[in-house]
């Protein structure tokens, strides 16, 4: 045994190290060099090292440093300052740094630029909100800019609402579908933004992609389909008697609500690039909760829709109420998707833990 040790000690250090010291198996644990301590600790370490029969022997110049298997570090009462300097020697490779903080190039302990990305997203969202608000206010305030020369501020503010309403009615006459599509696109974007704030997100830290998806569905589908639906409903129930109003409300809150809620949910699912099976399974789970949630709001609103508001103005009134309803719709749709993603991440983590 002494001859074997002498033979190993006389060979170069490079021949005594394994080819890949950092990927050694657990049968040959990495060793941590500790400064000399009490006689009892040294005796314990020598007995433990002999029992483990380590493959790595102390290199030349080790002096009075003792060899401690890494697995025994937690079980032995180390003297205070034994890990001072946090020097770790694995297979002859020495590292300096905090034992608990990990190692990173340049002495850094890692960490990402999440704070910088968060500030960038907040800045972009703020620019979007301020830009859209400025544009909308400018269009509203400058509706009379072609002939307001000589007007006072009071006159401008006095005629501004009336002339904006006249401009809206003119747009409904020239291109009614496009006008209603634009209104629905804006309302559905705002509704999703309100939903995100209701869910707890700060006002300028909303998900732009999610808000864009909701606005796209409102612009491309809700505005155009609602235009044709209200005309179809009037042709289906052309009666002017009082009982026609509750009949239209019942039809709206059964056939049309079920159809539109499904269209909205499926369209958002495809825009999120989800599989058809996932979309329809989630739609099946949320269909009746969404439908019954609408019964708490829309029957009362539609008494005004079908009883008071003219046909061409109905979508504008409905879109005003939609600011509340889209909040509910968006919350139902996105919470199912986020819950599924969270469950998938939990299952993936559990499977990795079980495979270890």
């Amino acid at each position: 045994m002494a001859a074997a040790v002498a033979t190993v000690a006389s060979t170069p250090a490079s021949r005594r190290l394994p080819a890949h010291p950092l990927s050694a198996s657990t049968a040959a644990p990495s060793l941590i060099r500790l400064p000399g301590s009490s006689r009892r600790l040294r005796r314990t370490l020598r007995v433990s090292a002999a029992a483990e029969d380590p493959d790595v022997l102390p290199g030349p110049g080790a002096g009075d440093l003792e060899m401690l298997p890494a697995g025994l570090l937690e079980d032995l009462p180390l003297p205070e300052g034994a890990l001072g300097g946090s020097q770790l020697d694995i297979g002859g490779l020495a590292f300096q740094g905090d034992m608990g903080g990990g190692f990173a190039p340049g002495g850094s302990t890692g960490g990402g630029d999440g704070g910088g990305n968060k500030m960038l997203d907040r800045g972009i969202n703020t620019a979007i909100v301020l830009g859209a608000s400025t544009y909308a206010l400018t269009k509203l305030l400058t509706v009379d800019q072609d002939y307001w020369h000589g007007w006072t501020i009071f006159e401008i503010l006095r005629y501004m609402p009336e002339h904006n309403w006249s401009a809206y009615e003119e747009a409904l006459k020239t291109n009614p579908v496009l006008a209603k599509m634009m209104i629905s696109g804006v309302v559905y974007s705002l509704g999703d933004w309100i939903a995100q704030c209701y869910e707890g997100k700060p006002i300028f830290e909303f998900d732009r992609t999610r808000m864009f998806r909701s606005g796209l569905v409102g612009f491309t589908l809700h505005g155009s389909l609602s235009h044709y639906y209200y005309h179809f409903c009037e042709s289906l129930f052309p009666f002017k008697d009082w009982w026609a109003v509750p009949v239209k409300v019942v039809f709206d809150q059964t056939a049309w609500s079920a159809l539109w809620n499904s269209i909205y949910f499926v369209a958002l699912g495809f825009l999120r690039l989800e599989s058809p099976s996932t979309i329809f399974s989630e739609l099946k789970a949320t269909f009746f909760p969404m439908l019954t949630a609408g019964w708490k709001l829309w029957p009362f609103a539609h008494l005004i829709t079908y009883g008071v508001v003219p046909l061409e103005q109905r979508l504008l009134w409905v879109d005003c109420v939609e600011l509340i309803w889209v909040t509910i719709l968006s919350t139902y749709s996105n919470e199912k998707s986020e819950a599924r993603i969270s469950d998938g991440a939990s299952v993936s983590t559990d499977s990795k833990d079980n495979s270890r």
Side-chain angles (χ1 to χ4, degrees), residues 75-159:
D75 300 328
L76 295 178
L78 299 179
E80 184 177 357
L83 295 179
S86 302
Q87 181 171 349
L88 177 64
D89 196 335
I90 302 177
L93 300 177
F95 296 88
Q96 296 285 345
D98 184 6
M99 293 290 292
F103 305 100
S108 173
T109 59
D113 58 347
N117 290 337
K118 189 174 182 180
M119 291 296 296
L120 179 61
D121 285 341
R122 186 183 300 173
I124 295 174
N125 292 345
T126 303
I128 292 174
V129 172
L130 293 180
S133 302
T134 302
Y135 176 78
L137 288 176
T138 301
K139 294 295 290 183
L140 291 174
L141 292 173
T142 60
V143 64
D144 295 324
Q145 64 177 347
D146 293 335
Y147 47 91
W148 67 10
H149 300 291
W151 287 15
T152 63
I153 298 296
F154 175 77
E155 290 174 330
I156 294 174
L157 296 177
R158 175 186 175 185
Y159 292 107

Side-chain angles (χ1 to χ4, degrees), residues 44-99:
T44 303
L45 299 183
R46 279 197 292 269
V47 172
S48 301
E52 293 290 338
D53 192 17
D55 295 335
V56 182
L57 299 177
D64 61 348
L65 294 178
E66 301 294 336
M67 304 298 293
L68 173 64
L72 299 177
L73 181 60
E74 298 178 356
D75 300 328
L76 295 178
L78 299 179
E80 184 177 357
L83 295 179
S86 302
Q87 181 171 349
L88 177 64
D89 196 335
I90 302 177
L93 300 177
F95 296 88
Q96 296 285 345
D98 184 6
M99 293 290 292

